Amino acid sequence: MTRPALFVVKATIAPELEAAFNQWYDTVRSKEAAQVPGCLGMRRYAALPLESAHAGSEPWQYMVCYEVDSEASLQAFVRSDTLQAMTRDYNDRFGGAGDRARLAYRQIYP
């Protein structure tokens, strides 16, 4: 059975670029993601502080999740010229203004 997978990017951004970062992600990056073969959608999140004994520590301000139709599509995307171009564009606009981490997940349930 083929299950969806996630490509997750977590990021911090300098306060002086935060508005431009959010506007760019919501307008430019979202359109690029829609063109990636197998991409089912993109969702963005901002970190929330939790006041709970169960809360962990989150060093990242933002997280974007790209859902793709399969692990094979995810692997093709991370090796693609498209992702290289997307990364260059990000670096040109925001490189040095924050940090990023990229992670991948396969759906295991349901």
Side-chain angles (χ1 to χ4, degrees), residues 21-90:
F21 172 84
N22 284 313
Q23 198 251 343
W24 172 79
Y25 244 113
D26 293 348
T27 58
V28 175
R29 183 60 93 214
S30 62
K31 288 179 183 153
E32 292 172 338
Q35 301 303 311
V36 171
C39 186
L40 302 173
M42 176 189 107
R43 294 178 190 252
R44 294 188 61 233
Y45 301 87
L48 286 174
L50 292 178
E51 302 205 14
S52 165
H54 301 286
S57 174
E58 175 61 88
W60 306 103
Q61 291 170 278
Y62 295 99
M63 177 177 73
V64 60
C65 298
Y66 301 90
E67 184 175 10
V68 293
D69 61 5
S70 66
E71 190 175 337
S73 292
L74 174 65
Q75 294 295 341
F77 173 60
V78 298
R79 292 188 308 268
S80 71
D81 292 339
T82 300
L83 181 57
Q84 289 179 25
M86 291 168 77
T87 300
R88 279 192 304 276
D89 182 41
Y90 182 99

